[in-house]
């Protein structure tokens, strides 16, 4: 008897392998999947400007990176003894203004260079709800704990999200027309917005994505992270203690489903080798000096050398 409904997912026409260069942008779920790519030693960059949840802010930071619109003093502000930028996450903030600006522009230049070489861009949208500065009516990526009275809150319409997605695709095509783009919607529940409001938010994202990509070529795809969580993993045991984020079991399962459709079968053997090495490196022996452990380390080192001869970019 089958106790779950398995979602059919079409196999990608442009699967990811170890020659692929991958950039993941978006919500914290990007970091979950990106962490899997990093564990298996794919060539991966994750959220260079930190976690960004909404489509408009992702479009904005991509536009700045692709058009090399460098950050200046007018783009940053000082609050709670740190310099911040409303276009990036607080993790990037810094106590020193000059250091902060230099860091932002270094990331921007690096992101531009990376996009030109990408084979795959994976964007995870988290929410349609956005906050805009009342002073300038600009949508922000992060409020940086500035008092809420300084912002107005609104939900992006399907039409606005569609336009943002189209703009995002046009930006990527501008410097890398061969890049394959995968959109997905985060399964994280944004309950602070409200239960009904969270569902509205996800519905707007899903509708806009599908409306946009239906007219695109096979180089633009959708992966149903949200739908897998809602339908295949329809149980609170797949959530973390906060009952909002997928737990590790759920992340592992969604990653498996992603591999089925988006990872080239020819890469599975390499992934198995990497996993064996990772487990070996994490092994904690009873006796470090024992002959058996030394033999184990020598064998592990040989596996690493052999793998690096084939893929010089892999490091442990």
């Amino acid at each position: 008897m089958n106790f779950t409904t398995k979602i059919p997912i079409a196999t990608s026409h442009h699967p990811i392998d170890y020659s692929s260069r991958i950039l993941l942008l978006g919500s914290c779920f990007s970091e979950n999947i990106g962490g899997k790519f990093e564990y298996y030693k794919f060539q991966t960059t994750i959220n260079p400007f930190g976690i960004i949840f909404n489509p408009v802010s992702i479009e904005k930071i991509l536009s700045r990176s692709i058009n090399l619109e460098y950050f200046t003093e007018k783009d940053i502000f000082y609050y709670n003894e740190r310099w911040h930028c409303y276009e990036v996450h607080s993790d990037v903030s810094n106590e020193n203004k000059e250091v902060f600006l230099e860091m932002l522009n270094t990331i921007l230049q690096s992101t531009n260079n990376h996009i030109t070489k990408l084979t795959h861009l994976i964007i995870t949208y988290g929410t349609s709800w956005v906050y805009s500065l009342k002073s300038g009516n600009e949508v922000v990526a992060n409020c940086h704990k500035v008092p809420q009275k300084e912002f107005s809150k609104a939900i992006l319409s399907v039409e606005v999200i569609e336009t943002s997605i189209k703009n995002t695709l046009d930006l990527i095509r501008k410097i890398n027309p061969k890049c394959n783009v995968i959109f997905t919607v985060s399964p994280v529940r944004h309950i602070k917005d409200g239960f009904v409001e969270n569902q509205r938010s996800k519905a707007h994202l899903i509708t806009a994505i599908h409306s946009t990509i239906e007219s695109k070529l096979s180089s633009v795809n959708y992966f149903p992270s949200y739908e897998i969580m809602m339908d295949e993993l329809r149980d609170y045991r797949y959530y973390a203690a906060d009952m909002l984020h997928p737990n590790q079991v759920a992340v592992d399962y969604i990653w498996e489903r992603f591999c089925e459709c988006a990872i080239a079968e020819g890469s599975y053997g390499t992934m198995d080798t990497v996993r064996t090495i990772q487990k070996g490196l994490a092994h904690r022996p009873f006796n470090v000096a024992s002959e058996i452990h030394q033999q184990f380390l020598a064998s592990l080192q040989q596996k690493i050398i052999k793998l690096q001869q084939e893929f010089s970019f892999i490091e442990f």
Side-chain angles (χ1 to χ4, degrees):
M1 187 177 291
N2 191 358
F3 290 99
T4 186
T5 52
K6 195 164 186 177
I7 297 171
I9 307 173
T11 302
S12 171
H13 294 289
H14 306 280
I16 295 168
D17 59 25
Y18 276 89
S19 67
S20 301
R21 294 176 179 268
I22 309 153
L23 172 63
L24 295 101
L25 296 175
S27 81
C28 50
F29 193 69
S30 288
E31 311 230 328
N32 294 143
I33 296 301
K36 291 292 189 179
F37 276 116
E38 286 189 331
Y39 178 86
Y40 285 103
K41 300 298 179 181
F42 286 89
Q43 299 179 85
T44 309
T45 300
I46 309 167
N47 279 336
F49 291 100
I51 293 168
I52 300 177
F53 295 97
N54 75 80
V56 170
S57 293
I58 291 174
E59 175 201 341
K60 188 173 184 178
I61 203 65
L62 276 173
S63 177
R64 185 182 281 278
S65 298
I66 288 168
N67 294 317
L68 289 176
E69 299 168 358
Y70 290 99
F71 293 92
T72 64
E73 289 189 14
K74 68 179 178 60
D75 300 311
I76 64 175
F77 67 98
Y78 192 71
Y79 181 72
N80 274 348
E81 301 181 358
R82 289 171 68 84
W83 287 91
H84 307 277
C85 174
Y86 281 123
E87 297 178 41
V88 305
H89 194 271
S90 297
D91 287 347
V92 189
S93 300
N94 195 279
E95 296 88 351
N96 183 288
K97 180 171 70 173
E98 287 73 26
V99 170
F100 183 44
L101 274 175
E102 182 179 356
M103 181 170 58
L104 284 174
N105 288 322
T106 298
I107 296 172
L108 184 148
Q109 181 66 65
S110 174
T111 302
N112 177 281
N113 293 338
H114 194 58
I115 291 172
T116 62
K117 301 171 185 175
L118 283 183
T119 60
H120 294 80
L121 171 63
I122 302 172
I123 297 177
T124 304
Y125 292 140
T127 183
S128 303
W129 289 99
V130 295
Y131 290 87
S132 300
L133 275 170
K134 290 180 179 178
S135 58
N137 203 34
E138 285 285 323
V139 172
V140 302
N142 194 291
C143 294
H144 302 294
K145 298 185 178 179
V146 172
Q148 193 164 348
K149 65 181 181 180
E150 302 295 332
F151 304 93
S152 58
K153 182 180 179 181
I155 190 168
L156 298 172
S157 69
V158 172
E159 292 74 22
V160 167
I161 299 171
E162 282 182 19
T163 299
S164 183
I165 295 171
K166 290 174 182 175
N167 291 343
T168 296
L169 291 171
D170 289 342
L171 283 163
I172 297 298
R173 299 286 181 265
K174 179 179 177 180
I175 62 172
N176 188 346
K178 294 183 179 180
C179 180
N180 300 284
V181 182
I182 301 172
F183 289 103
T184 189
V185 172
S186 171
V188 177
R189 303 162 71 221
H190 291 254
I191 299 304
K192 287 184 179 180
D193 294 323
F195 286 87
V196 174
E197 290 78 4
N198 175 65
Q199 293 298 83
R200 285 180 62 200
S201 169
K202 303 293 189 185
H204 282 206
L205 293 172
I206 293 167
T207 302
I209 291 171
H210 284 285
S211 177
T212 306
I213 68 175
E214 282 173 2
S215 61
K216 299 297 179 181
L217 301 174
S218 61
S219 59
V220 183
N221 295 107
Y222 179 74
F223 176 72
S225 300
Y226 177 77
E227 291 83 351
I228 290 171
M229 193 73 195
M230 293 297 104
D231 286 291
E232 292 193 41
L233 305 178
R234 189 192 290 261
D235 195 306
Y236 275 102
R237 62 180 166 162
Y238 296 114
Y239 284 91
D242 64 2
M243 294 297 153
L244 303 176
H245 292 77
N247 62 18
Q248 193 58 54
V249 173
V251 171
D252 290 346
Y253 180 80
I254 295 172
W255 167 253
E256 287 178 10
R257 296 298 329 266
F258 182 85
C259 289
E260 290 172 13
C261 69
I263 304 293
E265 287 188 20
S267 295
Y268 291 170
T270 303
M271 292 172 70
D272 288 341
T273 301
V274 171
R275 181 168 55 243
T276 298
I277 293 171
Q278 294 280 40
K279 288 182 177 180
L281 292 171
H283 175 66
R284 293 293 176 264
F286 289 113
N287 184 357
V288 177
S290 69
E291 183 178 346
I292 292 176
H293 182 61
Q294 294 307 310
Q295 291 173 352
F296 170 79
L297 290 179
S299 174
L300 193 63
Q301 186 60 32
Q302 285 302 311
K303 287 186 175 72
I304 293 173
I305 291 171
K306 184 177 180 181
L307 188 64
Q308 290 175 334
Q309 287 173 343
E310 186 175 0
F311 304 104
S312 59
F313 59 84
I314 290 182
E315 296 181 358
F316 290 95

